[in-house]
Amino acid sequence: MAKADRLERLDTQRIDLEADYRATLIAALERTAAGHWGLFDHQADRKTRAAIAPTIAALSEMADTIADMRDRLLMEPFALHAAFLAARGVVSASAVGEPKQARAWLDRLAQEAAA
């Protein structure tokens, strides 16, 4: 029974940490949607990267902890962080800007939350 209790506590902690990750990501997306570039690293500008670095570091740290928890619970990998990392990086000149990309992410996350 002790192992089951530990796993239940770990799962509760995972759920809470995933909610914190989501809230941190949404706050960063809202800031980006308001016109503050850097979250998706489209321009690869050092000054912009430095400004957003604490947010990226916090998200990555939470995602690493979540990944460890999910691994111990024999769950699939944390897909939200993987998708976020895949969306980052330099894009072609014809790609949508970071504010529009952030708005699309916010819309998608809102739809997922509603479902």
Side-chain angles (χ1 to χ4, degrees):
M1 207 49 138
K3 183 175 182 176
D5 290 339
R6 281 195 310 271
L7 292 175
E8 185 177 340
R9 278 194 310 271
L10 181 63
D11 194 39
T12 300
Q13 291 172 343
R14 176 197 59 82
I15 291 168
D16 291 343
L17 190 55
E18 285 182 8
D20 290 346
Y21 178 95
R22 187 179 186 88
T24 302
L25 180 59
I26 288 172
L29 289 167
E30 288 172 344
R31 181 176 151 102
T32 302
H36 297 276
W37 286 62
L39 184 63
F40 292 105
D41 200 26
H42 284 190
Q43 297 174 332
D45 176 63
R46 284 190 353 224
K47 184 178 177 183
T48 306
R49 279 183 178 162
I52 198 69
T55 301
I56 300 298
L59 289 170
S60 294
E61 184 177 323
M62 283 188 275
D64 289 344
T65 303
I66 291 167
D68 289 342
M69 290 174 165
R70 283 177 162 266
D71 188 50
R72 289 172 46 197
L73 293 166
L74 303 175
M75 297 176 74
E76 68 278 351
F78 187 46
L80 182 57
H81 186 65
F84 171 66
L85 290 179
R88 296 190 80 232
V90 178
V91 294
S92 69
S94 62
V96 299
E98 287 192 27
K100 285 186 180 180
Q101 185 177 9
R103 176 57 42 209
W105 268 75
L106 287 167
D107 293 344
R108 189 190 82 182
L109 291 174
Q111 287 176 350
E112 289 174 3

